[in-house]
Amino acid sequence: MSVTQSSSHSAPSTVSPGLAVEMTALRRTYGTVNALDGLDLHLDPGEMVVLLGPSGCGKTTALRILAGLERQDAGTISVGGRDLTHVPANKRDMGMVFQAYSLFPHLTVLDNVAFGLKLRGRSRKDRRQRAGDMLDLVGLGEQKARYAHQLSGGQQQRVALARALAIEPAVLLLDEPLSALDAKVRVQLRDEIRRVQSDVGTTTLFVTHDQEEALAIADRVGVMNSGRLDQIAPPAELYSSPATRFVGEFVGLSNRIPAQVDGETAVVLDARLPVLPGSAAGAGLALVRPESVSVEPDEHGHATVVSVAFLGPVSRATLTLDDGTLVMAQLASAAAGGLVVGGRVRLRITPSPVLVVGA
Amino acid sequence: MTITAPLAAAAPDSDPGRGRRLSVGPSLGLLPFLVFIGIFLVIPTVTVIVGAFQSEAGGFSLEKVRALGEETPLRALRESLVLSFTSALVGAVLGALLAYLVVTAPPTSILRRAVTSICGVLAQFGGVTLAFAWIATLGFSGLLTDLMADTFGTDPNGSSWLYELPGLILVYSYFQIPLMVIVFLPALEGLRPQWREAAVNLGATTRQYWLQVAFPLLRPAFLGSALLLFANAFAAYATAAALVSQGAPITPLLIRSALTSEIVLGQANFGFALALEMIVVVAIVMGLYAWLLRRTSRWLG
Ligand SMILES: Nc1ncnc2c1ncn2[C@@H]1O[C@H](COP(=O)(O)OP(=O)(O)OP(=O)(O)O)[C@@H](O)[C@H]1O
Ligand SMILES: [Mg+2]
């Protein structure tokens, strides 16, 4: 397992520079389940890291331990150089947005957002001012006097975001904040969360099992697998250069095409491609993205068209190699017109590095 | 003992009813309910109101209603109110605490299931059974009374407190507390863990969470349950009847006397007047509750 580091992210435009977060060797077991199995995670100041992984891999546990809502069995946590390992949750200064709606139903939107400020003893005028500003930031300045049950799910999560940010938290934590919303609102709100986060410059940890969401908003995506981090890298790097088989198969669609590794290169179909670090030696399966496969009709080709699905600007062709391997190719819909089901085709693979895994 | 109308012990996150439509279909389904309400609520109420304003001869008269102002009925009303208020207060506070202990136990635990089913039984039958148990223990010639008389030379016939207000309050608590547990449990279960976590995350101490989040959220259900307890005690008859065989210290027992009195005939209409008085008291308390709720819980929408 290799953890790739990177620090390329847009600099926050205003306010706090954010604090660095360091989680080291975190462990947590529930009975016999290893929810966290030695998790190491570092967040740069102002960075937005998304933890991505299948259900039950320990994402929520990691977030809740960082927030202090859950105890770790071992490991340490520090924020901005300060050791928080044994600091109780209410003293950690972290703003959290929960998956389930968590606004206080007996308070207005404004009082919800001002709640944390009231606990900090800020004056009434101050609180209203700051809460109002936060609501403007999330586009709900007009809804101050409403109660939670008068808002849509998306609006409630915006208020929850404003409430978490109002206390100027050291770290912003979001646990699948969009999963209860319908697809359209989800896309809109995730872009908005990203915008707000870059505006305020708060270091942010966002948890999701939706890879599209993760790739769309993260500075870096950390892929979790059974309580550990398999790889953490900027979205593009994660997609083009998966470090492990798990990452390659979990993020995006991949074909598995028989390959023969020979030193630094591998022969896949007729092409010779460079291999990524972590690849297996000898015979194996190359993980190849559908958009890296191009198709052209050819009487003497080594594959047959099984079906062609039109997806708008692009189409997806399903093909079988002569050895029976199924391969998906993504191509411009204009080019897909020349393919007939049952016709023979020749496949070409874009010569970018591939990960080859054991068969 | 009867439990009055199924009062909405509103769960904190109840949705506001929106959109009213009038069509025949749904109202037809309500018919059995309306018939039930008519037979068991409207007709008796009308009978009571009419009867209260009738003289023995059958004509309109304010005589019976005026008689409510006499010393005996006034004292019975006062005792009834004190009894209902005190037993509702004791029941609501202790019942809420017990309910809290129950919800903090895991949902599948034996303790939890045992407490809820025992409460279900006691809330219904606790009164009479326990009245007898108390009489047998602490009443005239009760087990403990005799024991005390033998040991300390106390008067075996002197312990009449059990048959008076303090005794009634004590015995009433035995069904009030379990009733509170039953009606208040859903509200406690409706407190979402995320509310606590959100509060803690924003910097709240446990105390601040309770004062600023949990109590305000539970207040409507607590008031509603306490009101139910008040009405429950106010209307309770069997327990008091079992415990008190002579005299009529509280209004429901006074109604009994009015209806069964062989000394003065034609007291039935006075019974109606007393019943009307009880209806008015319950109506006032419910009005008070509605007002309080509107003032303190606008968020219920
Ligand atoms: N309170 C708990 N008691 C027992 N087991 C738990 C508890 N919380 C989590 N687990 C277990 O720990 C593992 C990790 O859980 P966690 O909630 O962190 O997963 P997740 O990655 O957030 O999954 P999801 O995407 O479904 O939310 C799971 O196997 C889960 O069953
Ligand atoms: Mg989770």
Side-chain angles (χ1 to χ4, degrees), chain A residues 50-59 176 206-211 214 221-226 228-229 246 250-251:
Chain A
V50 176
L51 278 184
L52 175 68
S55 189
C57 70
K59 308 180 296 289
E176 310 209 17
F206 186 115
V207 158
T208 183
H209 61 252
D210 180 337
Q211 47 163 305
V221 178
V223 179
M224 279 188 75
N225 179 16
S226 324
R228 267 194 271 190
L229 210 52
F246 178 81
F250 186 74
V251 179

Side-chain angles (χ1 to χ4, degrees), chain A residues 56 59-61 99 175-176 207:
Chain A
K59 308 180 296 289
T60 298
T61 306
Q99 171 175 4
D175 188 3
E176 310 209 17
V207 158

Side-chain angles (χ1 to χ4, degrees), chain A residues 61-211:
Chain A
T61 306
L63 199 77
R64 289 172 59 84
I65 284 178
L66 179 52
L69 295 172
E70 202 82 59
R71 289 257 140 258
Q72 68 276 21
D73 298 331
T76 59
I77 291 166
S78 82
V79 173
R82 183 174 158 233
D83 183 8
L84 290 185
T85 311
H86 301 290
V87 173
N90 64 340
K91 299 274 189 304
R92 284 201 185 184
D93 239 355
M94 299 206 181
M96 182 146 175
V97 178
F98 296 80
Q99 171 175 4
Y101 303 138
S102 66
L103 294 185
F104 304 125
H106 65 298
L107 298 179
T108 60
V109 163
L110 191 74
D111 288 340
N112 259 286
V113 178
F115 187 84
L117 302 171
K118 192 175 171 196
L119 295 174
R120 282 163 179 70
R122 301 270 287 268
S123 77
R124 189 179 155 80
K125 183 163 159 281
D126 235 30
R127 299 198 301 257
R128 297 184 69 87
Q129 177 67 41
R130 168 96 184 143
D133 289 350
M134 286 297 119
L135 285 170
D136 287 339
L137 188 65
V138 298
L140 285 176
E142 306 295 304
Q143 320 282 335
K144 291 188 181 75
R146 294 198 171 206
Y147 290 97
H149 70 79
Q150 296 167 314
L151 302 177
S152 70
Q155 289 173 324
Q156 290 190 43
Q157 291 303 66
R158 277 166 212 255
V159 177
L161 178 65
R163 181 176 69 177
L165 286 172
I167 59 171
E168 295 174 69
V171 186
L172 177 64
L173 307 172
L174 305 105
D175 188 3
E176 310 209 17
L178 307 174
S179 63
L181 308 174
D182 62 54
K184 201 169 160 195
V185 180
R186 203 149 66 208
V187 170
Q188 196 187 344
L189 196 48
R190 83 173 186 217
D191 294 343
E192 195 161 326
I193 289 177
R194 179 52 169 162
R195 172 184 64 76
V196 169
Q197 190 269 338
S198 348
D199 275 2
V200 297
T202 308
T203 311
T204 300
L205 188 59
F206 186 115
V207 158
T208 183
H209 61 252
D210 180 337
Q211 47 163 305

Side-chain angles (χ1 to χ4, degrees), chain B residues 232-255:
Chain B
N232 187 42
F234 195 66
Y237 168 78
T239 309
L243 204 56
V244 181
S245 50
Q246 282 169 347
I250 59 173
T251 308
L253 295 187
L254 200 58
I255 295 179

Side-chain angles (χ1 to χ4, degrees), chain B residues 58-80:
Chain B
F60 176 81
S61 155
L62 283 176
E63 181 197 343
K64 302 299 174 198
V65 176
R66 223 175 261 138
L68 290 175
E70 283 167 16
E71 201 201 319
T72 311
L74 263 189
R75 214 189 50 220
L77 177 63
R78 200 183 59 228
E79 301 272 277
S80 262

